Amino acid sequence: MAELKQSPIAIGSDHAGYEYKNILIEWLQDRGYEVLDCGCYSSNSVDYPDIAKKVCQQINGGQASRGILICGTGIGISMAANKIRGIRAAHCTDCYSAKFTRLHNDANVICFGARVLGVGVVEELLEVFLTTEFEGGRHITRIEKLDQLCDSN
Ligand code: RB5
């Protein structure tokens, strides 16, 4: 996908996802993607909300087009990302979800659990996520309502 390759992909993980992050950075670079590495930068313990915030700031600030977040389960880091206005983070474990979260949700972040999925599966999911376009149409109103939820209790 030529257009996406012109803008960087932000990636971040906590300590549980650190090894996967390094593997995925190489995977992305091998395919011509520019990567913004938002940490962590060692296997020392860190808090996944801090990493989610850094990656999402790159997207909301326009420095990155999409984001990748990895923790042990993929759950905590996706919960954190989805607290941030403008972020639609999808925790994916299967290709159908990775495809439809782009088609219908215009997900701009994909989240993985390094302690749950093999790295080969993660790479397949990432390929689908990066090469599937948002369908638009009736889904636009729905994703606009996601941001409106940030204002409600
Ligand atoms: C870290 O031990 C672990 O709690 C974290 O990576 C993640 O799985 C949280 O959801």
Side-chain angles (χ1 to χ4, degrees):
M1 171 130 311
E3 199 178 305
L4 193 56
K5 286 185 177 174
Q6 284 165 14
S7 45
I9 308 291
I11 187 167
S13 75
D14 72 354
H15 49 287
Y18 174 65
E19 276 182 36
Y20 273 43
K21 175 172 69 69
N22 292 337
I23 291 168
L24 292 184
I25 288 173
E26 203 175 317
W27 185 96
L28 288 160
Q29 289 172 338
D30 283 351
R31 284 156 184 78
Y33 291 98
E34 193 185 330
V35 179
L36 294 175
D37 184 355
C38 299
C40 59
Y41 303 110
S42 78
S43 53
N44 293 341
S45 184
V46 294
D47 298 332
Y48 55 81
D50 299 335
I51 302 294
K53 185 176 174 183
K54 282 186 189 172
V55 165
C56 295
Q57 282 176 334
Q58 296 295 316
I59 295 168
N60 282 341
Q63 297 93 332
S65 53
R66 292 200 200 151
I68 302 164
L69 289 170
I70 315 148
C71 68
T73 58
I75 296 172
I77 210 155
S78 63
M79 288 177 167
N82 279 317
K83 299 280 182 198
I84 300 172
R85 181 185 296 278
I87 297 302
R88 294 175 300 279
H91 172 217
C92 291
T93 59
D94 66 276
C95 281
Y96 182 90
S97 299
K99 180 178 175 182
F100 276 84
T101 200
R102 287 289 311 132
L103 288 171
H104 288 189
N105 313 131
D106 197 18
N108 49 13
V109 175
I110 191 164
C111 306
F112 300 119
R115 293 174 178 162
V116 181
L117 298 178
V119 74
V121 175
V122 167
E123 288 170 353
E124 288 280 333
L125 298 174
L126 188 52
E127 172 86 37
V128 171
F129 177 75
L130 293 176
T131 57
T132 306
E133 287 301 315
F134 178 46
E135 255 178 29
R138 68 189 186 280
H139 302 293
I140 293 172
T141 308
R142 295 167 186 171
I143 66 167
E144 284 171 354
K145 287 187 178 182
L146 290 177
D147 269 343
Q148 290 165 19
L149 288 176
C150 294
D151 303 321
S152 55
N153 292 317

